């Protein structure tokens, strides 16, 4: 897994000169390190420490020969890069799973190895937000706070709303000290909603393509 740097997101984004930058993160699906595109975005409270994270995929045509003209320069690599926004909660879910597996291994080594627990959140505890996100990359935390697309919402409110997709919430210790606990049923519900939206978008895209083909045939 990619190490979590000690610098904060504001410093990382400042070093990019206000433009996009490339950082190494662990892929939530397989924990392998890969590059992601980070695009700064201004939050609703005027701070510039929020961002969006994009996955970059390379698409090549049927021919290996190709290039692009970029101003006066010729880019010999003819591959097309497509950037797709990644929900930062996927990185949080991967961090929770990694932590749970680590705790499970420690408990099995110290006690009865025949006892089994869930690999995700099997021993969940109430934690403050800073402790909960301690193993999450600063840019992921900044993406969780991105309020640029949320009307009349502060980054803190956006972050709290994001966390409640995966975690139970309590303010028993005061409004200024919220605690969260991972809830596997909430995570499954969130993942199911993601799957249903993706499936619906794929079906709509296939239908639009079929309608275009039918229209082209009728006009031929």
């Amino acid at each position: 897994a990619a190490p979590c740097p000690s610098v904060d997101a504001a410093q990382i984004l400042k070093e990019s000169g206000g433009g996009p930058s490339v950082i190494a993160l662990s892929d939530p699906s397989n924990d392998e390190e890969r590059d992601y595109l980070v695009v700064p975005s201004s939050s609703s409270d005027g701070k510039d420490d929020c961002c969006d994270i994009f996955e970059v995929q390379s698409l090549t045509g049927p021919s290996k020969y190709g290039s692009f003209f970029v101003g006066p320069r010729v880019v010999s690599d003819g591959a097309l890069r497509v950037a797709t926004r990644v929900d930062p909660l996927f990185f949080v879910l991967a961090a929770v799973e990694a932590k749970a597996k680590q705790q499970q291994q420690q408990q099995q080594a110290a006690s009865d190895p025949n006892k089994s627990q869930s690999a995700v959140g099997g021993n969940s505890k109430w934690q403050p937000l800073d402790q909960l996100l301690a193993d999450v990359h600063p840019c992921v935390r900044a993406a969780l706070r991105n309020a640029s697309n949320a009307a009349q919402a502060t980054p803190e409110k956006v972050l709290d709303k994001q966390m409640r997709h995966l975690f139970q919430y309590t303010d028993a210790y005061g409004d200024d000290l919220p605690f969260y606990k991972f809830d596997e049923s909430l995570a499954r519900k969130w993942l199911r909603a993601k799957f249903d939206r993706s499936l619906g978008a794929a079906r709509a895209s296939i239908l639009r393509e079929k309608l275009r083909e039918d229209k082209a045939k009728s006009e031929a």
Side-chain angles (χ1 to χ4, degrees):
C4 184
S6 58
V7 297
D8 59 19
Q11 180 178 344
I12 296 174
L13 299 177
K14 183 179 180 180
E15 291 175 352
S16 70
S21 59
V22 177
I23 62 171
L25 297 173
S26 294
D27 190 321
S29 64
N30 55 25
D31 201 36
E32 295 182 0
E33 188 174 301
R34 59 171 296 182
D35 290 336
Y36 287 86
L37 186 68
V38 175
V39 180
S41 60
S42 296
S43 63
S44 60
D45 64 355
K47 297 180 180 179
D48 292 325
D49 58 348
C50 296
C51 66
D52 280 315
I53 298 176
F54 292 84
E55 177 186 52
V56 180
Q57 295 178 318
S58 179
L59 305 178
T60 57
S63 174
K64 64 179 180 179
Y65 302 104
S67 60
F68 287 105
F69 286 98
V70 181
R73 298 184 297 112
V74 177
V75 180
S76 59
D77 184 358
L80 179 65
R81 267 77 178 182
V82 179
T84 305
R85 183 182 177 276
V86 180
D87 193 318
L89 277 179
F90 282 115
F91 296 97
V92 176
L93 187 59
V96 169
E97 181 181 14
K99 189 68 173 181
K101 287 182 178 179
Q102 181 183 11
Q103 292 177 347
Q104 184 183 33
Q105 291 172 355
Q106 293 173 349
Q107 291 173 355
Q108 289 180 344
S111 60
D112 186 357
N114 294 322
K115 291 183 179 180
S116 61
Q117 294 182 349
S118 172
V120 181
N123 191 26
S124 298
K125 298 179 180 179
W126 291 102
Q127 301 177 72
L129 196 56
D130 290 344
Q131 180 179 336
L132 190 64
L133 298 178
D135 297 328
V136 176
H137 193 282
C139 285
V140 174
R141 296 198 295 268
L144 288 167
R145 298 176 64 253
N146 187 7
S148 60
N149 297 322
Q152 306 299 322
T154 64
E156 287 70 26
K157 289 182 178 179
V158 172
L159 173 59
D160 175 69
K161 183 178 180 180
Q162 283 274 66
M163 299 303 290
R164 294 197 197 193
H165 286 299
L166 304 178
F167 299 86
Q168 297 179 33
Y169 165 88
T170 181
D171 57 358
Y173 299 97
D175 294 339
D176 59 340
L177 188 59
F179 273 66
Y180 300 84
K181 182 171 72 170
F182 180 76
D183 189 314
E184 190 169 347
S185 63
L186 288 177
R188 291 181 183 275
K189 180 180 179 181
W190 176 76
L191 288 170
R192 179 68 190 186
K194 286 284 187 183
F195 173 79
D196 289 342
R197 284 196 294 270
S198 298
L199 182 61
R203 286 174 173 171
S205 178
I206 293 174
L207 179 59
R208 288 194 298 269
E209 183 63 28
K210 186 177 186 304
L211 290 174
R212 281 195 294 265
E213 291 178 355
D214 292 344
K215 182 178 180 181
K217 290 179 180 180
S218 64
E219 294 175 351

